[in-house]
Amino acid sequence: MNEGQQRAEPDEPCAAGAPQGRHEPIQVTVHPTAEAACAAVAGEVLELVAARPTTALGLATGSTMVGVYRALVGALEERGLRMDEARTFNLDEYLGLPPGSEESFRAFMDRHLFTPARVSSAQVSFPASPDAQPGVESVRSARAFEAAIEAAGGLDLQLLGLGGNGHIAF
């Protein structure tokens, strides 16, 4: 732990009704600033990508992630690393937006991570195809997304942001 950080652990390692077996408490690290937290998360992603270039990352969008992605892109450039072999799986996407829409989560990711970090489209997966409509088509798209995660061996790390109203994911 770095100076100024605090580690907090819950009083009980698992909630009532949780599956029986080995449970470890969730480790929470508190950083003095949002910038320090973003740098720490980016550092963890960088360590994972350096150790396992074919890593599978679960990614999120939103304002929480902007600083994380900025720090990650800076750290990749600083260390001369690339994410050429990593796979990314985003949590969510709007249904029914036209392909290439600037309001899409894909456009957000292109602006904040994929383009600056030179992540190719072949490495990127979203739970809905850009032109999927609600209904059977979106179910097929979701199943294909899950199959792609399974084919990658599951997610090695999932990044989550916390919305202003407490939501995680869309």
Side-chain angles (χ1 to χ4, degrees), residues 10-133:
D11 293 331
E12 296 182 31
C14 59
Q20 297 301 309
R22 183 170 175 237
H23 297 280
E24 295 186 24
I26 295 173
Q27 303 234 340
V28 177
T29 304
V30 179
H31 297 274
T33 65
E35 184 177 90
C38 289
V41 172
E44 287 192 33
V45 173
L46 191 67
E47 283 179 32
L48 183 59
V49 169
R52 185 170 183 239
T54 59
T55 194
L57 300 171
L59 302 177
T61 57
S63 59
T64 304
M65 303 312 298
V66 171
V68 171
Y69 296 147
R70 185 181 315 116
L72 178 57
V73 168
L76 286 164
E77 290 173 358
E78 185 178 295
R79 296 218 8 221
L81 294 175
R82 295 187 51 148
M83 294 176 52
D84 293 343
E85 298 176 64
R87 288 288 319 266
T88 70
F89 298 89
N90 269 75
L91 279 175
D92 39 23
E93 181 58 280
Y94 290 103
L95 283 177
L97 284 180
S101 172
E102 281 301 307
E103 288 114 17
S104 71
F105 292 141
R106 172 59 191 253
F108 175 96
M109 293 304 299
D110 284 341
R111 277 191 305 276
H112 295 287
L113 180 64
F114 298 155
T115 299
R118 296 177 294 226
V119 174
S120 77
S121 291
Q123 297 168 255
V124 172
S125 295
F126 280 81
S129 66
D131 53 356
Q133 297 296 317

